[in-house]
Amino acid sequence: MKTRSPESLADLEQTKLLLCELLGNFYRLGWCTGTGGGISVKVPGGYLMAPSGVAKEYVRPQELFELDEEFKVTNSSRLDGLRLSECAPLFASIYRKCGAGSVIHTHSVAIVLATRHETKSETLCFERLEMIKGIRGASYLDRHQVPIIPNTPRECDLEASLTRALDRLAANAHAVFVRDHGAYIWGRDVMEAKRHAEVYEWLCQFKNAAAGLRS
Ligand code: ZN
């Protein structure tokens, strides 16, 4: 990242604190247990991203990766032993193609269960639910459709199918679900990404309950 003013450094530190707080909350919701899941946000000159393979509820602000606009790590010398997530290229695609300001990766049980139950379609469809309005640009009257892509043993191998899903994405969809795995969910900033994650979680919980599925 470029040289920063004291004010923007203070903002960066505040954003790092917020990301760590959100990771703790997401852990308690079961979205990033077992070191899974992740979060990233666009900041002036680049991005911040949580490390991979560590207990997300204990990530400290100084352990977040700083990346430049090309998604190259700029603070690696201070992050000995930590690894950037294999999700990084997937997050980069979402930033590039969707104009996102923040991307969340969740391993939510409700989303995994809903994708596993939907065997006939490559889309999960939600309709006649007030909560759909929590997604930017979506209305109660919409058939809100979210693409499902197949899982792969390695997260980095999801990139091609994720890119194809982004190319056929409905204008108001802000997520791609990965069957048996979880979801990539985004918003124009970190609080909108959080809200969208909560809404998709609710929609999947409802769909599962309506189908008699228990998580
Ligand atoms: Zn994952």
Side-chain angles (χ1 to χ4, degrees):
M1 288 183 198
K2 298 179 187 108
T3 311
R4 296 173 182 281
S5 67
E7 293 77 18
S8 67
L9 275 173
D11 287 348
L12 191 69
E13 292 312 307
Q14 282 300 316
T15 305
K16 287 182 174 182
L17 282 170
L18 176 62
L19 292 192
C20 292
E21 188 181 342
L22 289 173
L23 282 173
N25 291 340
F26 294 168
Y27 170 80
R28 285 180 281 281
L29 286 166
W31 295 358
C32 58
T33 51
T35 76
I39 191 167
S40 74
V41 66
K42 198 171 190 331
V43 293
Y47 302 87
L48 296 174
M49 190 164 176
S52 174
V54 298
K56 294 295 190 296
E57 69 276 28
Y58 293 116
V59 172
R60 295 173 297 167
Q62 62 271 31
E63 294 172 332
L64 294 170
F65 280 93
E66 295 177 11
L67 303 105
D68 65 16
E69 285 170 343
E70 276 71 53
F71 247 71
K72 297 264 183 316
V73 176
T74 58
N75 66 336
S76 55
S77 59
R78 288 184 273 136
L79 297 172
D80 233 13
L82 291 176
R83 198 163 38 89
L84 186 67
S85 170
E86 285 195 340
C87 299
L90 310 174
F91 280 39
S93 293
I94 294 169
Y95 282 113
R96 197 174 56 248
K97 283 183 164 283
C98 304
S102 177
V103 184
I104 292 169
H105 177 46
T106 146
H107 285 182
S108 139
V109 173
I111 293 174
V112 171
L113 197 56
T115 62
R116 177 172 283 210
H117 186 63
E118 180 54 79
T119 53
K120 294 196 184 77
S121 171
E122 292 181 353
T123 305
L124 213 53
C125 182
F126 306 98
E127 55 190 333
R128 290 193 303 113
L129 289 166
E130 178 71 7
M131 275 296 269
I132 293 171
K133 284 163 60 177
I135 305 295
R136 176 160 48 92
S139 138
Y140 167 72
L141 298 173
D142 288 349
R143 267 184 110 239
H144 188 73
Q145 301 197 69
V146 178
I148 306 170
I149 60 172
N151 196 32
T152 53
R154 293 194 60 189
E155 204 127 10
C156 54
D157 294 332
L158 291 169
E159 193 176 356
S161 57
L162 180 93
T163 303
R164 280 195 298 276
L166 294 177
D167 287 337
R168 64 183 164 92
L169 200 67
N172 56 15
H174 291 79
V176 171
F177 295 158
V178 186
R179 185 168 275 124
D180 304 334
H181 179 158
Y184 292 89
I185 301 170
W186 59 91
R188 65 181 145 208
D189 56 36
V190 71
M191 294 312 283
E192 187 177 81
K194 169 187 175 292
R195 188 184 83 224
H196 286 164
E198 289 167 355
V199 172
Y200 284 121
E201 174 79 10
W202 190 98
L203 292 171
C204 286
Q205 283 184 3
F206 179 86
K207 204 171 186 65
N208 294 340
L213 303 174
R214 287 176 185 276
S215 57

